[in-house]
Amino acid sequence: MPPPGVEARELSIPFDRYNFSTADISLLEGAEEILVRDCMRRRGMAWEVLPRSAAEDLEPPNRRRYGVVEPEVARLFGYHSPPDRPTVARRAAARDSRARRLSAEEQRAAYGEKDGCLEQARSHLEQGTPQVDEALFNRLISETFAQSQRDPRVVRVFRAWSACMREQGRQYADPLAAITDRRWMTDGPASQEEIRAARADVRCKERTGLVPAWAAVERRIQDDAVDAHPAAFRALRATKDQQLAAARAVLARG
């Protein structure tokens, strides 16, 4: 199972500063586990804390933003998502095993909507954070991504990528059309045809410079969005930073 490639790990956009990455979520969930454990103990119940996932095994936040960009992933999995890396899979298996063993009373204590330990843990991590406009942020995520695809520079690189794919007998207007081809949306391993298409896709991205060109346009558009909504983005950043600081404090005391 190859680790995430440099092509995915180095891909970043401005909104990443305000959104919770996979690594951030892992940190928050690790703190929640400790807080839930302590809460359950106060209620006279045991709680098995899940093992943490290794940082190098976590999914990069923009891994499939522009379709498949890693040659090794295309070679092994085509357009299918790679399976979880070992420590991520181990954590998921431990979570499922724990869920099967919880009694009804333990489930209510841990997950009750009004006074459950998980709800209390999340309230603790969110304590004192500013109110954020999640609807605005989600709308801007969608709108800026769509806007980037209409930018003349991106349109040109899409055409170049599409011409490169046609040279290899594949008809796609853009990389998103390729990765969402219904032929690839199947269970089980990728077919050899899918793998050939994905590898051609990655080669054409490299040949045309599609990823750096598209990312540069997205960065400009997202920077403009941040400048247009300064208060909203300050609140998003403060909320993220404060929650992560609270989570680190919980993990530090263990």
Side-chain angles (χ1 to χ4, degrees):
M1 191 65 59
V6 64
E7 302 85 0
R9 287 186 283 106
E10 293 186 351
L11 183 56
S12 65
I13 51 176
F15 281 7
D16 291 344
R17 296 192 295 269
Y18 309 94
N19 216 349
F20 289 100
S21 68
T22 311
D24 295 333
I25 293 169
S26 176
L27 182 71
L28 292 171
E29 289 180 343
E32 288 173 359
E33 284 289 313
I34 292 173
L35 292 169
V36 171
R37 178 202 65 192
D38 295 346
C39 173
M40 293 290 279
R41 284 177 177 173
R42 291 192 295 270
R43 298 181 181 192
M45 302 177 193
W47 183 258
E48 179 187 337
V49 173
L50 300 179
R52 297 283 305 280
S53 299
E56 61 270 20
D57 284 353
L58 296 173
E59 189 90 352
N62 301 302
R63 187 173 200 175
R64 295 170 73 82
R65 187 172 195 84
Y66 305 139
V68 177
V69 299
E70 301 156 272
E72 188 70 356
V73 168
R75 184 182 72 82
L76 293 173
F77 308 110
Y79 287 109
H80 280 58
S81 296
D84 288 337
R85 291 273 294 163
T87 61
V88 176
R90 180 188 64 180
R91 179 181 174 84
R95 183 187 61 235
D96 293 344
S97 175
R98 184 180 66 188
R100 289 192 297 269
R101 289 182 279 108
L102 288 178
S103 67
E105 182 184 11
E106 289 169 333
Q107 288 182 30
R108 286 192 298 271
Y111 303 122
E113 290 184 7
K114 292 185 178 180
D115 64 346
C117 288
L118 180 58
E119 186 64 29
Q120 290 184 25
R122 289 174 175 169
S123 295
H124 174 87
L125 297 176
E126 294 170 3
Q127 186 175 3
T129 59
Q131 194 75 21
V132 298
D133 191 341
E134 292 183 4
L136 172 65
F137 189 39
N138 290 333
R139 178 169 61 80
L140 289 172
I141 289 171
S142 177
E143 288 179 354
T144 56
F145 187 63
Q147 183 181 349
S148 73
Q149 296 172 66
R150 298 190 297 269
D151 184 272
R153 183 180 177 187
V154 175
V155 171
R156 287 194 297 272
V157 78
F158 278 178
R159 288 173 179 163
W161 174 89
S162 184
C164 175
M165 291 291 278
R166 280 198 303 275
E167 291 174 4
Q168 302 179 61
R170 307 186 185 279
Q171 299 285 333
Y172 294 111
D174 57 59
L176 300 183
I179 199 170
T180 57
D181 189 324
R182 293 183 64 84
R183 290 180 297 166
W184 320 139
M185 296 183 182
T186 59
D187 295 330
S191 66
Q192 288 304 306
E193 174 61 15
E194 177 184 341
I195 288 172
R196 285 191 291 270
R199 297 184 75 179
D201 182 344
V202 172
R203 286 194 299 270
C204 287
K205 285 188 175 90
E206 293 172 346
R207 185 186 304 176
T208 61
L210 184 145
V211 172
W214 194 354
V217 168
E218 261 211 290
R219 291 186 189 110
R220 172 177 52 78
I221 292 171
Q222 289 194 355
D223 279 337
D224 289 345
V226 173
D227 291 342
H229 303 277
F233 279 92
R234 278 197 302 270
L236 284 164
R237 183 62 184 265
T239 293
K240 175 181 175 177
D241 289 348
Q242 290 176 33
Q243 286 192 47
L244 293 177
R248 292 188 187 98
V250 171
L251 290 168
R253 68 169 173 79

